[in-house]
Amino acid sequence: TMCANGSIGTEGPEATETDSSGTGRMRKPLERNGSTQNDTVHLERRLGLFSGVALIVGTMIGSGIFVSPSGLLVRTGSVGVSFIIWLACGLLSLLGALAYAELGTMNTSSGAEWAYFMDAYGPAPAFLFSWVSTLVLKPSQMAIICLSFAQYAVEAFVTECDPPGGVVKMVALVAIVMILFVNCYSVNLGMAVQNVFTAAKLVAVVIVICGGAWKLFQGNTQHLSNAFNGPMPNIGAIATAFYTGLWAYDGWNNLNYVTEEIKNPSKNLPRSIIIGIPLVTLCYALINISYLAAMSAQEMIESEAVAVTFGNRILGALAWLMPLSVTVSTFGSANGTLFAAGRLCFAASREGHLLDILSYVHVRRLTPAPGLIFHSLIASAMVLHGTIDSLIDFFSFTAWIFYGGAMLALIVMRYTKPNHPRPYKVPIIIPVVVLVISVYLVAAPIFETPRIEYLYALLFIFAGLIFYVPFVKLGMTPRFMNKVTLFFQLLLEVVPTSSMAM
Ligand code: ARG
């Protein structure tokens, strides 16, 4: 049964700063007041317009704006085209999010995509979604953000030459372990880290925008002229440029994980989207202009960490502020991502979609340690084998298959459930446009610039079906699994939540 997520509302709006799905599930054991028998815990609607906007902005701004601008320039070949793509990514996210607002107000359960796929297509596609998001999407987000963290942390100390790749990977692994520790230690510590660190990314954004404005004011506009000089990118390169840009905007659908807690969702959900996403788009546009006020496109491409180069040029004695605020910002995002990943894993295994052990919580700390450890292991493997750019491609490719799937789900349900209440109804053209673009985004790179990552991603998705049929649909459990579960239960001191609620 889909159970409502617990009492996230008692935590305050900050608690949802993380892009968590079903945060409350974790707290069920904490509520020892008898209400635990009853799965439909009542949620307080306490997220207003302001918290909604803050949640969107807080999850969207992360590592991308500090690592993607160079990649986008390389892929588009000119400042002008890359700028247009930055704006187009913002628009696409806005349209996608509006369509999600209809889905989220039709079905308010915290599973977001999982729930929409279930409604529109049935259990197998819903399973594939949780399969891919727990095994691929969440860990790759974590890996990308931690690699960006490491890039900035290392760049702060290496001034002469490019930072050695091995060191960056080591630092990224250390970051994963630290974040894992924080989140296994206590749920509250994870949230506290989140709140403090979210502020840091706003500091970084404000510094860059003000510094750039000052530079432009002094007349440093030379890098902004002749913006369209350069070869026109081909159609496959444009799609991969979108991958890079869209990474920076990812998280636009995050309000859908907390629709149950939004006050007057049919108004506040679309409003938060209409304010939040253009706000992020504006910040990203201004930041790009700021970078170009301080360095040329070529210098931007060569820089390992644009914001550090920017700081060195503009901030003088305060240059250290830049790597510091970016590392803090990315650390916070990675923390939020792991936090959310833990919940997702928890939710999926409770549906019987993943190994039981992954839904267990630690006996004393009440944290979903097995799920967190599992994610961190996959993320670490990705850090070791990938680079920021290849992981972003891998992530965006996979994510847009499912975002497109959600658009199609909306369209399908207009036909299959015409009378279902839709508190917010989006003009049908919007999901159609987003669906067409997502088909293009997924198909164009396969044909124009094929990469092995895309094949892996597809294989992965279909491998899900191989597991689905015997283990989920037919409910078979290999005998030795009980032993494995027991072993990890003793090793990690974890128990199923149902046993804690008694
Ligand atoms: N846009 C964020 C960044 O630039 C990544 C967000 C990852 N997605 C998420 N749902 N947490 O780092």
Side-chain angles (χ1 to χ4, degrees), residues 337-361:
T337 300
L338 185 66
F339 188 92
R343 270 60 189 169
L344 193 75
C345 206
F346 190 74
S349 33
R350 293 243 307 218
E351 302 301 335
H353 279 181
L354 281 177
L355 300 178
D356 288 342
I357 183 80
L358 297 178
S359 68
Y360 291 5
V361 298

Side-chain angles (χ1 to χ4, degrees), residues 75 387 389-391 393 445-446 449-456:
R75 288 177 168 179
T387 62
D389 289 326
S390 67
L391 286 170
D393 288 346
I446 299 187
T449 41
R451 296 180 62 147
I452 190 80
E453 280 86 0
Y454 306 143
L455 185 67
Y456 290 153

Side-chain angles (χ1 to χ4, degrees), residues 22-43:
T23 312
R25 290 170 171 252
M26 231 41 55
R27 350 219 91 226
K28 270 193 76 198
L30 291 174
E31 306 163 330
R32 292 170 191 274
N33 52 12
S35 71
T36 41
Q37 302 297 347
N38 174 358
D39 253 353
T40 51
V41 183
H42 252 293
L43 290 173

Side-chain angles (χ1 to χ4, degrees), residues 19 58-68 138 141-142 144-145 148 201 245-254 257 284 330 333 336-337 340 395 403:
D19 46 359
T59 9
M60 283 174 75
I61 301 181
S63 60
I65 188 60
F66 307 111
V67 295
S68 300
K138 284 288 159 192
Q141 287 174 349
M142 177 87 181
I144 298 167
I145 302 174
S148 314
K201 65 181 82 172
L246 285 168
W247 164 249
Y249 287 95
D250 198 69
W252 50 261
N253 57 350
N254 262 310
Y257 293 95
Y284 286 1
T330 45
S333 296
T337 300
F395 168 80
Y403 295 150

Side-chain angles (χ1 to χ4, degrees), residues 62-63 66 145 148-150 179 325-335:
S63 60
F66 307 111
I145 302 174
S148 314
F149 164 88
I179 293 164
S325 50
V326 175
T327 42
V328 174
S329 154
T330 45
F331 191 86
S333 296
N335 180 67

